[in-house]
Amino acid sequence: MFKALSDPTRRRVLQLLRKRPMSAGEISEHFSVSKPTMSAHFSVLQNAGLIEAEKTGRTILYRLKMSVLEDALLGFAQTVGWNIKAERSARQTAPKAASKLHPAKQEG
Amino acid sequence: MTSKPVSTYFAVALLALNAALIGVNWYLHPERAGKWAVALVAICLALIALAFGKRLTDKGVRGGGTSIANAVVFACVMIATTLAVKLAMALGAPISADFTNRETMALICAFVAFFGNGIPKTLTPLSSVQRAARLQSLQRLAGWLWVLDGVALTIAWFVLPQRVAGAMMLVMLPATALFVAGRMVWVCRTRERMA
């Protein structure tokens, strides 16, 4: 669930679904990413149990399926601009950048 | 905290814990044998209900076993905490009767919050997008109201005088129930007008 909420695109999908159930196409119109990428996002959200897909004819309709606690976490994540992936890569690149600036210290 | 199905094994473990607590309390207070016997019978009935729920799940009845397991866990937690407090008092712990009452009421309010948390996750079959949107909005509102009520009352039962907490409970819970019921009627009437 934290992984699902850590991505800004997925959070925006959940915010759109708060208003009403939407088809995959309707949701994708709000984003400038490819269909396979959007499908991957939907898949992550479904695996986290935050949305549910229902097939109606030839369309797949997505519905929000969040508990109150998950809803509150979404609001919190949106407020603080939660991005776990970005924070992890920043933490990983910070020591590398430091070693490039001070190679003498590293050798010492 | 989500509304994932509660494991039957967790419910069975809680029942075993309750049986053990009843046994110890019976040993310490044999003069109350009648009450302990009734409690043991209740544990056995809960076990039968669990077994019935498991059969429903095995037969493919959606949600039946989960609801029964959730109800058994709720009952077991209530009974276990009361028995544990009684045992502690029998062993000489400085616990007042006031605390046992507060603890019981706070647990009830905590369960109101727990079940309210799961309301928005229960999806009804999709008939139309407009109806699903109104129902979703109603479920979110109901869920939030019950969670906020439950959390506020749980804190109130530990912090405020019992009379005040009791009065709050008598006002907040029925008011929330009436408000949610009123909104549900409004949603259904809106659907009929649009049909």
Side-chain angles (χ1 to χ4, degrees):
Chain A
M1 186 194 52
F2 292 106
K3 181 190 170 188
L5 293 179
S6 66
D7 186 277
T9 305
R10 290 196 281 269
R11 289 200 298 268
R12 181 81 185 112
V13 168
L14 293 172
Q15 282 181 316
L16 288 169
L17 288 174
R18 261 179 182 167
K19 295 173 195 169
R20 60 181 179 85
M22 285 173 147
S23 65
E26 281 178 291
I27 298 170
S28 302
E29 282 168 18
H30 292 84
F31 303 94
S32 55
V33 294
S34 64
K35 277 187 181 175
T37 308
M38 283 310 296
S39 294
H41 285 308
F42 292 143
S43 183
V44 169
L45 288 170
Q46 266 191 282
N47 289 336
L50 299 176
I51 63 173
E52 190 164 282
E54 277 195 49
K55 203 165 182 185
T56 49
R58 289 163 68 182
T59 329
I60 295 178
L61 217 60
Y62 288 102
R63 298 165 76 179
L64 197 68
K65 197 182 159 192
M66 290 172 69
S67 67
V68 172
L69 183 63
E70 286 161 349
D71 204 351
L73 276 171
L74 171 64
F76 173 75
Q78 198 68 1
T79 306
V80 303
W82 200 2
N83 198 333
I84 290 175
K85 216 174 176 180
E87 283 169 15
R88 274 204 193 128
S89 30
R91 265 186 262 135
Q92 281 163 6
T93 51
K96 288 179 190 170
S99 66
K100 279 182 184 170
L101 280 171
H102 304 286
K105 272 189 182 173
Q106 292 291 314
E107 284 165 16
Chain B
M1 184 169 72
T2 62
S3 292
K4 285 194 176 139
V6 173
S7 163
T8 309
Y9 301 112
F10 179 55
V12 170
L14 275 176
L15 283 171
L17 172 66
N18 275 318
L21 284 170
I22 290 168
V24 175
N25 273 292
W26 196 330
Y27 174 76
L28 289 172
H29 288 287
E31 69 278 10
R32 296 176 196 165
K35 286 184 183 175
W36 305 131
V38 167
L40 269 179
V41 167
I43 299 295
C44 294
L45 288 173
L47 205 57
I48 293 167
L50 260 184
F52 176 68
K54 186 119 191 352
R55 274 191 76 188
L56 286 177
T57 310
D58 293 342
K59 281 184 179 177
V61 175
R62 204 174 160 190
T66 307
S67 306
I68 291 172
N70 282 343
V72 169
V73 166
F74 166 67
C76 282
V77 170
M78 294 286 297
I79 296 170
T81 44
T82 308
L83 288 171
V85 167
K86 282 208 181 297
L87 179 62
M89 286 169 78
L91 293 173
I95 298 172
S96 64
D98 174 73
F99 177 78
T100 52
N101 192 42
R102 285 176 182 273
E103 161 262 317
T104 305
M105 299 311 290
L107 259 180
I108 291 171
C109 296
F111 275 110
V112 166
F114 177 77
F115 287 109
N117 180 58
I119 289 173
K121 266 186 120 71
T122 51
L123 297 178
T124 52
L126 185 70
S127 56
S128 79
V129 173
Q130 290 82 10
R131 182 164 186 254
R134 283 194 298 276
L135 278 174
Q136 176 182 289
S137 170
L138 175 64
Q139 280 180 294
R140 279 188 70 221
L141 174 68
W144 270 100
L145 284 175
W146 287 121
V147 165
L148 291 172
D149 273 2
V151 168
L153 288 170
T154 303
I155 295 169
W157 274 106
F158 280 123
V159 168
L160 297 176
Q162 284 202 56
R163 262 188 310 157
V164 176
M168 274 177 68
M169 198 165 162
L170 282 174
V171 168
M172 285 171 72
L173 296 183
T176 304
L178 280 170
F179 180 74
V180 169
R183 287 286 296 196
M184 209 181 326
V185 167
W186 181 82
V187 164
C188 292
R189 291 192 74 181
T190 310
R191 182 172 68 91
E192 282 168 14
R193 262 187 257 129
M194 287 176 74

